[in-house]
Amino acid sequence: MAPPLQKPPRTLGLSLAILASVMLFTLLPLLQVSVFFAVQYRFSQINLPVDPAGEDAAPPIAIGGSAGGIPDAALIVQIALGLGYLPLAMLAWRGRPGSIRQIIMAGVVLLTLTTALMTVVNLSSVPTVQGGIDSGEDLKRGLLVSRTIFSALIALYVVWYMNRGPARAFYRGHYLSTPETLP
């Protein structure tokens, strides 16, 4: 009598696919939001020097601008997408339910398409004088394009690896054939 087969292990490639997608779709967006809030908090703590007469010693050069230029709705969506992907990745890491393989692939493709769409919107918008003149616009554009390229590459890797035999066996919970029947 043959010993019972063990569940196929999570392979290194599958672990890399899950970890890379978590870093790109959860950690990076949450890090961006936390840095934005840290900068906003730091700006709110700035006190202008006051002269003895009770007036500002140095009047501000410009007022009324936004330190970050990011609407609150965009931050909320970024937080929701980042935190929404994390449970999917945790289920994919665990390997249960078996349908999580298709769900994680769909999630990665959806988040990549969202990233590409937001990049196109940001790159096609023309900066206005009312919004302020920003010397970091070229840097921002380069980072947006780089993020979209990395998103596409990671999405391709996740979809490719999730469709390989070892990943399918891991999520199925068993191999298709037993070692005795292999030539």
Side-chain angles (χ1 to χ4, degrees):
M1 183 169 152
L5 294 176
Q6 294 181 3
K7 181 182 182 221
R10 181 183 331 101
T11 61
L12 177 64
L14 183 58
S15 299
L16 287 175
I18 294 169
L19 290 175
S21 65
V22 166
M23 288 174 59
L24 183 66
F25 298 121
T26 298
L27 294 181
L28 182 63
L30 294 179
L31 181 65
Q32 288 173 334
V33 170
S34 63
V35 167
F36 175 78
F37 283 137
V39 169
Q40 288 290 78
Y41 175 75
R42 190 74 173 147
F43 278 143
S44 70
Q45 299 301 314
I46 295 175
N47 293 323
L48 292 175
V50 178
D51 69 0
E55 297 179 14
D56 290 340
I61 296 172
I63 59 171
S66 171
I70 302 172
D72 290 340
L75 293 175
I76 292 170
V77 168
Q78 190 166 346
I79 291 170
L81 289 176
L83 293 177
Y85 183 76
L86 192 57
L88 294 178
M90 289 170 44
L91 289 172
W93 186 266
R94 185 171 169 253
R96 293 285 175 246
S99 62
I100 195 66
R101 183 175 72 88
Q102 288 86 12
I103 294 170
I104 201 83
M105 285 190 298
V108 165
V109 169
L110 181 66
L111 287 171
T112 301
L113 291 175
T114 303
T115 301
L117 178 66
M118 296 308 293
T119 300
V120 168
V121 167
N122 283 327
L123 291 177
S124 64
S125 66
V126 178
T128 62
V129 175
Q130 291 82 12
I133 298 172
D134 187 8
S135 61
E137 194 66 31
D138 288 335
L139 177 64
K140 180 179 101 172
R141 290 178 183 275
L143 290 174
L144 285 171
V145 170
S146 298
R147 181 175 179 184
T148 304
I149 291 170
F150 279 118
S151 295
L153 290 174
I154 288 175
L156 286 173
Y157 179 74
V158 169
V159 169
W160 171 74
Y161 202 88
M162 290 285 186
N163 283 315
R164 293 195 65 221
R168 288 192 313 241
F170 174 73
Y171 289 110
R172 190 181 316 111
H174 59 86
Y175 293 105
L176 288 179
S177 59
T178 61
E180 294 84 31
T181 60
L182 293 175

